[in-house]
Amino acid sequence: MNSAQADAYLRRIGAQHPAWPTSDVLRELQLRHLETVPFENLSIHLGEEIVLDENSLVDKLVGARRGGFCYELNGAFGALLGALGFDVTLLAARVYGDEGRLGIPYDHLALRVRTVDGGDWLADVGFGAHSHYPLAFGERGEQEDPGGTFRVVESGPDVAGVRGVGGLREGGDLDVVRNDKPQYRLEVRPRVLGDFVTGAWWHSTSPVSHFGRSLVCSRVTKDGGRITLSGRNFTVTTADGTKEVSELATDEEVLATYRERFGIELDEVPEVRKTRG
């Protein structure tokens, strides 16, 4: 990512160019990203190709002022952080599903970010409802965040009896836990963006993937809550977890909500695509 792209990206999220890549700067950038760039899977249902390279991601998130899902959001955010001087490592994760089952390899992309003031952080702007601020990578106790109570712990065996090998020093897997519920199992081996192409393709095309079965567009609000548009249901969640759901009756209302609440200009209302399976 060149300096002009980085400056445009910072303007997109309403942030100033930082003097140093510090932990405080990382915290601010992650929160601003969550408040301005939606987590959304609309491309899957609009027939838009998902391309995992830096220029394409910047064109989508910054040029077209869209959002994306984990591969796009964390892929782009990682590129921005690298351009600003942060030490960024892409990590692969498998998301916990029903009954503790883990998803496919390269199910999720997250970021390990090191800062000039000695910080070592797990940054994630692509997991929907998650931590608002980076989590301390090496901390094994509870970490309080507006998004919940989090822990980053060494993995135990999953329901199939498979466990990560060794601890952090040996490069073993870690579980990211929110409010006592495991969210995803994180590998600490460094990856590159191209490694996630197969995972993105699977989630874009498989009838089993929840991304192919539903529409979602969601972002954090300035007061610490969240707004979500799923199909025609618009949900406002306050910081204390109270939800108010309204159904949008017309296409015009849906398009206006995408535009006014998420900054996304669409020519047509997305509809869940039909999948084979």
Side-chain angles (χ1 to χ4, degrees), residues 175-250:
D175 279 346
V176 178
V177 181
R178 175 178 180 249
N179 296 337
D180 294 324
K181 182 178 180 180
Q183 302 295 291
Y184 54 78
R185 175 168 290 190
L186 190 70
E187 300 176 6
V188 298
R189 173 184 172 184
R191 302 292 182 177
V192 297
L193 190 57
D195 291 337
F196 296 88
V197 169
T198 301
W201 173 84
W202 187 88
H203 276 300
S204 301
T205 61
S206 173
V208 179
S209 170
H210 62 93
F211 287 115
R213 301 197 305 265
S214 62
L215 285 158
V216 64
C217 184
S218 184
R219 69 169 178 83
V220 172
T221 54
K222 296 290 186 182
D223 61 1
R226 176 173 291 274
I227 54 173
T228 302
L229 179 58
S230 181
R232 293 181 179 273
N233 291 325
F234 182 62
T235 303
V236 178
T237 306
T238 63
D240 65 6
T242 303
K243 295 180 183 292
E244 180 180 341
V245 183
S246 57
E247 184 175 358
L248 307 180
T250 67

Side-chain angles (χ1 to χ4, degrees), residues 2-15:
N2 60 42
S3 59
Q5 289 174 317
D7 288 343
Y9 202 140
L10 290 170
R11 289 194 296 272
R12 164 79 165 100
I13 64 175

